[in-house]
Amino acid sequence: MSRHLPARLGLRVFCFTLIALLSACGGSSGSSSSTNNQQTGPMTGGGTAESKTFFDQTLTAADGEDIAFTVFVPENPNGKALPLVIHGHGFGLSRLKDMENPDPINGFVQNAEITAQIAKRAWLEAGFYVISFDQRGFGDSTGSITVMDPEIDCRNVSQIIDWAETNLANLGRRNNDPVIGSIGLSYGGGFQTVCGSADKRFDALVPLATWSHLPYSLYPNETPKSLWLDILGVVSAGNLEPYLITAFLEATTTGDINQDALERLAGNGPRSFCQKQMGRTPASADALFIQSANDVLFNMNEGVENYVIEL
């Protein structure tokens, strides 16, 4: 899985700087201080013939909220063992529900958003399982928006993986570990770097234009990116966690963000795992970071840091 997904991406990537990473939290896959989950050899499993289909699924999160996602099953008459690709959408958007005949809004998003096109190719051309999910507080997933709190958002993602392990008949495995990759842009990249650090079952990540450290993204040199904070506040439709609403209001009215909010935001990024903050120990996954040179929210520095940060 981790060998083939980046190669397919190369056909679709344009005007981006590509940074290859062999393991999370540094440029070496040999770090003894991370939990390395990489497996080699052929996938095992399978044996059940499946026809191409897709369907919606809803789980109940640990806090009682809904986790909504759509499962895309490829044509697989021989019951081959297959990898799974998990797709996450950008901030303010929602999941892919129909990749063949989408409604006008979803169709526009799919045509404009490269990771949606990649997810479609993974299902229809590569013959992979694909799950596209509504991130907490967006689409049909309920709850307030935490901006990728590992204890909340990543617990939801782990529940989706639990469901996949139980219900995808031909999900491939290596040494009894499911073969799972992920794709997503911006907020859909953040779920990968944070949840891929929290859950060792990810094998390959492809985060596009995402963050390493949210205080730097939103409040560099103690200067708020007011326009971006206003945009994020609007597209969240007032559904942000209360501390984030307060922080965004502070930023736009006083130019400051309180320290408690900054510390909580700092915990919602891969740096907190790579530096073992709050007692965290990161998992490891192959990754391909793709960062735009002219992105003023998650700039090139964040992509570089995601690549070079050391434990």
Side-chain angles (χ1 to χ4, degrees):
M1 171 65 182
S2 58
R3 297 175 184 174
H4 301 297
L5 186 59
R8 291 183 177 275
L9 279 170
L11 300 175
R12 306 295 299 173
V13 172
F14 60 95
C15 298
F16 287 93
T17 295
L18 278 66
I19 303 175
L21 180 67
L22 295 179
S23 73
C25 303
S28 170
S29 60
S31 173
S32 60
S33 53
S34 64
T35 305
N36 196 321
N37 187 47
Q38 304 313 298
Q39 306 288 350
T40 59
M43 286 187 294
T44 60
T48 302
E50 291 182 291
S51 298
K52 184 182 71 173
T53 188
F54 61 93
F55 56 90
D56 296 328
Q57 185 71 36
T58 302
L59 303 177
T60 300
D63 59 358
E65 303 291 352
D66 290 338
I67 309 169
F69 56 97
T70 300
V71 182
F72 296 87
V73 177
E75 190 73 23
N76 187 12
N78 298 319
K80 296 188 300 183
L82 303 174
L84 165 66
V85 175
I86 301 177
H87 169 264
H89 60 77
F91 198 87
L93 300 177
S94 58
R95 74 188 192 271
L96 305 174
K97 291 185 176 181
D98 184 342
M99 291 196 281
E100 292 187 296
N101 299 290
D103 62 52
I105 294 176
N106 269 315
F108 174 80
V109 170
Q110 288 183 36
N111 287 328
E113 213 266 78
I114 188 171
T115 65
Q117 298 177 44
I118 294 167
K120 182 176 181 178
R121 293 187 65 181
W123 176 47
L124 293 176
E125 297 180 26
F128 297 168
Y129 288 117
V130 173
I131 288 179
S132 183
F133 73 102
D134 282 333
Q135 309 224 41
R136 180 183 167 91
F138 294 106
D140 298 319
S141 289
T142 59
S144 56
I145 300 165
T146 67
V147 193
M148 217 53 63
D149 185 322
E151 303 302 322
I152 300 175
D153 293 80
C154 293
R155 186 164 53 182
N156 288 6
V157 172
S158 292
Q159 280 190 243
I160 293 174
I161 296 176
D162 291 343
W163 181 93
E165 286 204 72
T166 300
N167 293 279
L168 297 183
N170 296 306
L171 181 60
R173 297 174 180 274
R174 292 193 179 103
N175 295 341
N176 293 319
D177 186 72
V179 181
I180 297 175
S182 56
I183 186 76
L185 169 70
S186 191
Y187 201 57
F191 103 82
Q192 298 177 71
T193 57
V194 181
C195 301
S197 297
D199 192 315
K200 68 182 182 64
R201 290 174 291 183
F202 284 90
D203 296 285
L205 317 176
V206 187
L208 284 77
T210 196
W211 70 86
S212 174
H213 186 57
L214 281 173
Y216 171 77
S217 309
L218 303 175
Y219 193 56
N221 299 317
E222 298 186 352
T223 303
K225 293 182 180 177
S226 300
L227 177 60
W228 276 108
L229 291 172
D230 289 343
I231 292 172
L232 295 174
V234 169
V235 300
S236 69
N239 198 29
L240 290 167
E241 281 276 283
Y243 88 91
L244 289 170
I245 294 175
T246 298
F248 285 16
L249 286 174
E250 287 175 341
T252 55
T253 57
T254 70
D256 293 318
I257 296 179
N258 68 82
Q259 190 61 35
D260 178 65
L262 290 173
E263 290 177 359
R264 293 181 68 174
L265 283 169
N268 296 1
R271 180 195 283 190
S272 68
F273 285 89
C274 294
Q275 295 183 346
K276 296 186 176 180
Q277 297 170 10
M278 294 174 279
R280 292 171 174 169
T281 300
S284 179
D286 289 345
L288 175 67
F289 288 106
I290 304 171
Q291 205 82 6
S292 174
N294 61 355
D295 189 332
V296 295
L297 180 59
F298 304 136
N299 63 33
M300 188 64 72
N301 291 335
E302 305 236 38
V304 171
E305 181 173 82
N306 277 329
Y307 173 68
V308 302
I309 189 168
E310 295 295 338
L311 295 171

